[in-house]
Amino acid sequence: DADVTQTPRNRITKTGKRIMLECSQTKGHDRMYWYRQDPGLGLRLIYYSFDVKDINKGEISDGYSVSRQAQAKFSLSLESAIPNQTALYFCATSNPPTDREQYFGPGTRLTVT
Amino acid sequence: QQQVKQSPQSLIVQKGGISIINCAYENTAFDYFPWYQQFPGKGPALLIAIRPDVSEKKEGRFTISFNKSAKQFSLHIMDSQPGDSATYFCAASPQGGSEKLVFGKGTKLTVNP
């Protein structure tokens, strides 16, 4: 089984709708991240969490919110989706300082019409 | 503000050739420089990483060269194979604190048979 899973894998929604993307991990890592990937723009950090009680904004947090329900679960919400939020969304985990590698999930392709 | 600049945006190489992707950074607090490989429909995965106390790291056909004074690092893929066709991202992370990764915009590598 995959260490980092994301649901749904694909989602089409309409402008103005609320949508939640979910991420679960079995690696036991405290740190979790949400990234957005757009063609030609690379990966940009939306939010990151050091643990359940410590959540921080990333580079592009406007229009997004997150919830860390447990060590293993980190959800990303779009309260009122807009078309320019159409993108690939990735969740990742890490376990610094011993392991600075970030382990990515398979991604969610979100389309806002 | 883009803190990690990656070039080229796309690269086409013949099988057996050498693929070279370059990155430059600005923040002297960066102390961890990974390269991630992403295949279509998958999340990025760590390929190889280097710290600034060494000038080169090699793993199989993949080599990172690091020039601290120039604030540049590059990925060399020797004997490139069609299976290496993917998008490659360089990244950098500062020591201590958030361990946030700043990604380059990516290079789409195509290795022709």
Side-chain angles (χ1 to χ4, degrees):
Chain A
D1 288 341
D3 294 319
V4 183
T5 58
Q6 293 183 235
T7 56
R9 294 294 315 277
N10 289 282
R11 180 73 182 266
I12 300 174
T13 191
K14 294 183 182 289
T15 297
K17 294 291 187 182
R18 183 180 189 275
I19 183 169
M20 178 182 289
L21 309 182
E22 299 185 336
C23 176
S24 295
Q25 53 112 347
T26 58
K27 299 188 73 67
H29 291 170
D30 285 329
R31 298 201 181 185
M32 298 188 73
Y33 310 80
W34 275 104
Y35 290 92
R36 168 178 173 159
Q37 183 177 13
D38 298 277
L41 295 181
L43 291 135
R44 294 180 291 168
L45 184 63
I46 305 173
Y47 272 94
Y48 60 103
S49 172
F50 287 172
D51 60 38
V52 174
K53 296 182 180 180
D54 190 349
I55 294 175
N56 303 276
K57 292 182 177 181
E59 180 185 356
I60 53 164
S61 59
D62 288 349
Y64 302 94
S65 62
V66 291
S67 172
R68 185 83 183 264
Q69 300 94 326
Q71 185 202 40
K73 295 186 181 296
F74 192 34
S75 300
L76 176 72
S77 294
L78 287 67
E79 296 300 327
S80 180
I82 57 177
N84 78 359
Q85 291 178 314
T86 293
L88 264 174
Y89 290 86
F90 289 99
C91 173
T93 74
S94 71
N95 191 37
T98 54
D99 182 3
R100 295 177 74 170
E101 177 178 355
Q102 290 193 14
Y103 298 83
F104 284 80
T108 294
R109 182 172 295 277
L110 176 66
T111 303
V112 183
T113 62
Chain B
Q1 179 186 4
Q2 183 189 0
Q3 298 187 55
V4 178
K5 294 184 179 180
Q6 182 172 348
S7 63
Q9 187 172 0
S10 63
L11 181 62
I12 300 174
V13 174
Q14 291 300 117
K15 178 181 176 181
I18 301 174
S19 304
I20 301 174
I21 304 171
N22 300 298
C23 285
Y25 64 97
E26 301 165 1
N27 189 346
T28 56
F30 289 151
D31 77 331
Y32 173 68
F33 302 89
W35 285 88
Y36 280 78
Q37 180 187 54
Q38 183 183 28
F39 293 105
K42 305 290 186 181
L46 180 67
L47 181 63
I48 186 173
I50 197 168
R51 294 179 190 256
D53 52 347
V54 297
S55 60
E56 185 175 283
K57 183 175 181 179
K58 183 176 181 179
E59 291 185 2
R61 295 184 293 107
F62 301 91
T63 300
I64 298 179
S65 298
F66 185 82
N67 185 330
K68 186 174 182 178
S69 61
K71 293 188 284 187
Q72 295 175 345
F73 58 110
S74 60
L75 176 69
H76 296 237
I77 306 174
M78 311 300 289
D79 187 26
S80 298
Q81 299 296 312
D84 296 331
S85 297
T87 299
Y88 293 81
F89 295 96
C90 63
S93 172
Q95 57 187 344
S98 68
E99 306 275 352
K100 292 185 295 183
L101 279 175
V102 178
F103 284 89
K105 293 187 176 182
T107 297
K108 184 176 182 180
L109 172 65
T110 302
V111 181
N112 288 328

